[in-house]
């Protein structure tokens, strides 16, 4: 399937069921050709919900008067161990842009990353927001495998409306610099935040241009107390089509089927659209939050490896092994994207 920008726009806007089903079938075929029936699993530790920024879409924006937490290194290590024992392939350490870490040059976070890699043997992804080149270098030297930082959109005017007082080029630079330091990078979009089909097509091209090894899309989920709290969450068909288009454009890419948008109930559709990484697996009853769905399906234990595996098996798929995942990201690191 030759995907030009025009074809991408046509597929994003089509209401023809046959054409839509053919798109998803092609995405599943491409995924199977690349990965067989194996799916990867990421554990998620949102370890600090303090943030210096005021993104209009985000629950954790600094102006929101909410309960916030900052987990201790001991708690983060315990949570990571629990996730590792449950069978995840990677630990994703995510934070708001918490100034307390910036002020100590991330020494605490760097030591946590080293300890997680030592004690669990798992790869680590860091999602710290924008940090300095020196801090990115330090993450790479600490053995961090991934740097995740999402532009949300590559339409600069829309970016400015979403990520208030943040610089588009500074955010893009941080990602590209992380890649230069040898880390794999993840790029991400949100759907339903005011973008049009041409914007999405442009973003899909940008993801390839910058050499992202993992690419994601999440439907916008309105957050109480935020400027966008009355913006309707989009029809999920758009997110599913974008996942399928990412798969066809980038057969080798890791593509999240995040549990953070619609909980465990959202997994099947995202896998059927061509995604291959179950992300936002959160240990139950640990006081950890999600991002878009800060509590949905967390404490009742629905966002777990066990629950995800049941759904994967019903689809004729299975979790990969930790070794398969590490071998694959080793191959990605060798690709000159
Ligand atoms: N503070 C870091 C940052 O902004 O990069 C990491 C926090 S979290 C990983 C940030 C990402 O979650 C955003 O880039 C956005 O893609 C997603 N997100 C945040 N709020 C959301 C919402 N209400 N609906 C959907 N996605 C959301
Ligand atoms: C997810 N809630 O994977 C997480 C988060 C950050 N690297 C990931 C957005 O959906
Ligand atoms: Fe802060 Fe990240 Fe939320 Fe923006 S998206 S307010 S930077 S936690």
């Amino acid at each position: 399937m030759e995907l030009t920008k025009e074809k991408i726009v046509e597929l994003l806007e089509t209401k023809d069921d046959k054409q839509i089903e053919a798109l998803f079938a092609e995405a599943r075929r491409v995924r199977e050709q690349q990965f067989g029936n194996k799916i990867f699993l990421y554990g998620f530790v949102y370890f600090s919900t303090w943030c210096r920024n005021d993104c209009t879409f985000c629950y954790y924006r600094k102006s929101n008067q909410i309960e916030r937490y900052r987990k201790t290194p001991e708690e983060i290590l315990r949570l990571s161990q629990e996730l590792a024992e449950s069978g995840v392939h990677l630990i994703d350490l995510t934070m708001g842009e918490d100034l307390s870490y910036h002020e100590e040059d991330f020494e605490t976070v760097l030591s946590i990353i080293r300890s997680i890699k030592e004690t669990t043997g798992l790869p680590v992804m860091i999602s710290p927001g924008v940090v300095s080149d020196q801090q990115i270098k330090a993450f790479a030297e600490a053995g961090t495998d991934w740097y995740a930082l999402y532009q949300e959109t590559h339409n600069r005017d829309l970016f400015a409306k979403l990520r208030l007082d943040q610089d588009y080029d500074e955010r893009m630079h941080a990602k590209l610099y992380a890649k230069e330091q040898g880390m794999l990078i993840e790029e991400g979009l949100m759907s339903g935040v005011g973008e049009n089909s041409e914007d999405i097509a442009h973003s899909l091209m940008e993801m390839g241009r910058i050499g992202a090894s993992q690419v994601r899309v999440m439907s916008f989920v309105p957050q109480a107390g935020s400027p966008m709290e009355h913006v309707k969450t989009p029809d999920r068909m758009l997110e599913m089509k974008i996942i399928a288009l990412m798969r066809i454009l980038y057969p080798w890419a890791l593509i999240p089927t995040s549990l953070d948008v619609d909980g465990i109930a959202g997994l099947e559709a995202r896998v059927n659209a061509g995604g291959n990484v179950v992300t936002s697996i959160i240990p139950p009853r640990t006081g950890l939050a999600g991002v878009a769905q800060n509590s949905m399906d967390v404490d009742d234990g629905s966002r777990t490896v066990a629950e995800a595996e049941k759904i994967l098996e019903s689809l004729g798929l299975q979790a990969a092994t930790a070794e398969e995942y590490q071998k694959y990201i080793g191959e990605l690191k060798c690709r000159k994207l």
Side-chain angles (χ1 to χ4, degrees):
M1 186 185 273
E2 160 70 4
L3 284 181
T4 59
K5 261 191 170 178
E6 295 67 30
K7 185 70 181 164
I8 289 171
V9 169
E10 179 201 327
L11 289 167
L12 287 169
E13 295 182 351
T14 184
K15 300 261 185 288
D16 177 318
D17 290 343
K18 280 211 180 61
Q19 196 175 17
I20 292 168
E21 201 23 62
L23 172 67
F24 292 141
E26 174 64 3
R28 289 192 295 272
R29 187 194 66 76
V30 169
R31 181 190 59 210
E32 187 174 354
Q33 200 173 35
Q34 183 77 24
F35 297 97
N37 69 342
K38 298 295 176 62
I39 299 289
F40 302 118
L41 309 168
Y42 286 9
F44 184 61
V45 181
Y46 201 163
F47 64 92
S48 172
T49 59
W50 291 94
C51 191
R52 63 178 170 185
N53 287 330
D54 240 350
C55 300
T56 52
F57 51 83
C58 184
Y59 182 66
Y60 302 101
R61 66 197 306 266
K62 69 177 176 185
S63 308
N64 235 0
Q65 303 307 315
I66 54 166
E67 287 277 297
R68 294 179 193 265
Y69 64 74
R70 185 179 295 120
K71 297 290 180 187
T72 65
E74 296 69 27
E75 286 173 318
I76 299 167
L77 288 178
R78 185 174 49 75
L79 292 164
S80 302
Q81 191 58 41
E82 192 178 324
L83 281 164
E85 283 159 11
S86 75
V88 301
H89 302 133
L90 167 136
I91 303 292
D92 176 353
L93 296 175
T94 288
M95 51 179 265
E97 293 201 10
D98 182 344
L99 285 174
S100 74
Y101 293 117
H102 283 263
E103 283 150 13
E104 48 125 72
D105 260 343
F106 285 84
E107 282 313 322
T108 307
V109 179
L110 292 166
S111 139
I112 289 167
I113 291 170
R114 283 189 284 268
S115 306
I116 290 174
K117 285 184 72 82
E118 236 163 75
T119 53
T120 68
L122 293 182
V124 170
M125 171 181 282
I126 189 75
S127 305
V130 174
V131 299
S132 70
D133 286 3
Q134 176 213 343
Q135 284 153 356
I136 289 171
K137 229 176 156 67
F139 281 130
E141 283 159 8
T144 313
D145 302 272
W146 289 90
Y147 185 82
L149 192 69
Y150 315 146
Q151 221 63 12
E152 325 301 356
T153 176
H154 296 79
N155 170 326
R156 287 170 178 267
D157 294 339
L158 181 54
F159 178 92
K161 290 186 191 127
L162 296 171
R163 286 191 158 275
L164 301 183
D165 306 323
Q166 296 168 56
D167 184 281
Y168 180 97
D169 294 302
E170 186 187 20
R171 195 168 176 89
M172 184 55 82
H173 165 79
K175 233 173 319 221
L176 297 177
Y177 188 76
K179 185 162 168 270
E180 276 171 35
Q181 298 311 308
M183 287 189 277
L184 294 168
I185 60 173
E186 179 184 16
E187 176 63 292
L189 299 184
M190 276 196 296
S191 55
V193 287
E195 79 288 354
N196 61 34
S197 302
E198 286 68 21
D199 292 328
I200 296 171
H202 174 54
S203 282
L204 290 173
M205 294 301 143
E206 279 296 280
M207 290 175 151
R209 184 184 67 79
I210 67 171
S213 297
Q214 181 162 303
V215 289
R216 74 158 64 214
V217 56
M218 290 169 72
S219 297
F220 164 67
V221 177
Q223 302 296 320
S226 71
M228 292 179 70
E229 66 178 330
H230 301 303
V231 174
K232 226 166 104 6
T233 194
D235 182 307
R236 295 299 187 258
M237 179 54 80
L238 180 57
E239 181 185 336
M240 304 310 139
K241 284 183 178 179
I242 295 170
I243 289 174
L245 289 165
M246 286 174 175
R247 174 58 63 212
I248 297 165
L249 282 167
Y250 310 116
W252 37 264
L254 294 172
I255 303 177
T257 62
S258 172
L259 302 180
D260 199 20
V261 180
D262 297 319
I264 195 74
L267 179 56
E268 181 168 342
R270 288 165 175 84
V271 169
N272 283 338
N276 69 328
V277 187
V278 182
T279 68
S280 207
I281 289 172
I282 299 179
R285 291 174 297 286
T286 54
L288 279 178
V291 177
Q293 294 290 0
N294 49 60
S295 59
M296 180 195 270
D297 287 356
V298 176
D299 276 350
D300 67 0
S302 299
R303 282 166 65 165
T304 56
V305 168
E307 288 308 309
E309 283 185 321
K310 280 183 206 159
I311 293 165
L312 295 178
E313 271 145 39
S314 73
L315 298 171
L317 301 165
Q318 64 178 91
T321 63
E323 293 70 29
E324 287 169 327
Y325 176 70
Q326 292 179 31
K327 178 168 175 289
Y328 192 69
I329 63 170
E331 291 165 11
L332 285 175
K333 285 180 182 174
C334 297
R335 282 180 88 107
K336 283 293 157 237
L337 292 176

